[in-house]
Structure formats: C-alpha cells, structure tokens
Amino acid sequence: FDTGSGHVLLAFRSPEERKMMIAEHLQSTEQLNLTPEFFARLDQVRDRGYEMMASLQTAGVYNLSTPVLGPDGRAIAALTIPYITLVNAPSAPDITLTIRHLQDAAARLSQLAGSDVAQSS
C-alpha cells in the first residue's frame, strides 16, 4: 500500500479483486487509511501504465514500477526498480528514459506470459 509495486498490483486488478487483496492485508496488519485519493492514485497508475513515486523507505530514491500482464490483462507481477539520479554520469538515462526501458522489459515479459494486451510506452 506504500510501494510502487503494491500500487501497480492493485491498479491492474478489478475492484472486486482489490477489495479481496485489501481484506487479506488487513488480516495481517494494523488499520489502513485508504482514502479516496489513494484509489484515485491507483486509477492514475492504471491510466498511465506505471507508478513513479518517491520511496517512502529511502530518501532520494524513486520507485519505478510497471505491470507484467497475463493473458487477461491483469497484473501477474510488478517489475520494479529503484531510481537515483546520478550526478557524475551525464550519459546515464534520465528518469523518463528509464521508465521507457522498464515498460519495454515488462512488455516483453508480458508477451512471454501470454499477454497480447498493449502496454503504454
């Protein structure tokens, strides 16, 4: 609920499946504060095809996460990397190019998993 991969896994599920995933999580943890803004964020993640958020665990790191889709278009996994801007490597990919590379890799994995759903690039 506070990670890029978690957002992707929830975003690429039906509302019913989201409820089930939330209920399962609540059995193993304290109360969650799931606001309307949280669900709006999941819709945004689904619309753009990936999550990009500041890490809530490590300062200066961005979580970049995109779904690996199964044949039904639902996420079967989340491909996630931490992104840190390099100051001493001007030829390193910026965050936008890194997201594109991540989406390309996830699209290839999705195809291997039997998905024919086109992912945003």
Side-chain angles (χ1 to χ4, degrees), residues 9-116:
L9 292 172
L10 286 167
F12 286 84
R13 290 295 180 154
S14 69
E16 296 78 24
E17 289 170 314
R18 281 184 192 174
K19 281 183 184 178
M20 181 188 69
M21 293 167 78
I22 291 166
E24 286 177 7
H25 184 73
L26 286 173
Q27 292 177 1
S28 65
T29 189
E30 298 290 320
Q31 183 70 17
L32 286 174
N33 185 20
L34 300 179
T35 64
E37 291 80 16
F38 175 79
F39 291 101
R41 177 68 180 228
L42 296 181
D43 292 340
Q44 179 187 41
V45 168
R46 186 177 183 97
D47 290 345
R48 72 178 174 201
Y50 64 91
E51 175 63 292
M52 176 180 66
M53 61 182 276
S55 171
L56 299 177
Q57 291 79 27
T58 308
V61 174
Y62 283 88
N63 294 329
L64 306 179
S65 190
T66 191
V68 175
L69 301 175
D72 58 4
R74 290 188 234 155
I76 58 172
L79 186 60
T80 303
I81 60 171
Y83 180 85
I84 301 171
T85 302
L86 296 175
V87 295
N88 64 345
S91 63
D94 65 10
I95 197 164
T96 303
L97 183 56
T98 302
I99 291 167
R100 252 187 267 138
H101 288 315
L102 185 65
Q103 288 181 299
D104 290 345
R108 284 192 291 262
L109 290 170
S110 295
Q111 287 176 329
L112 289 171
S115 177
D116 62 357

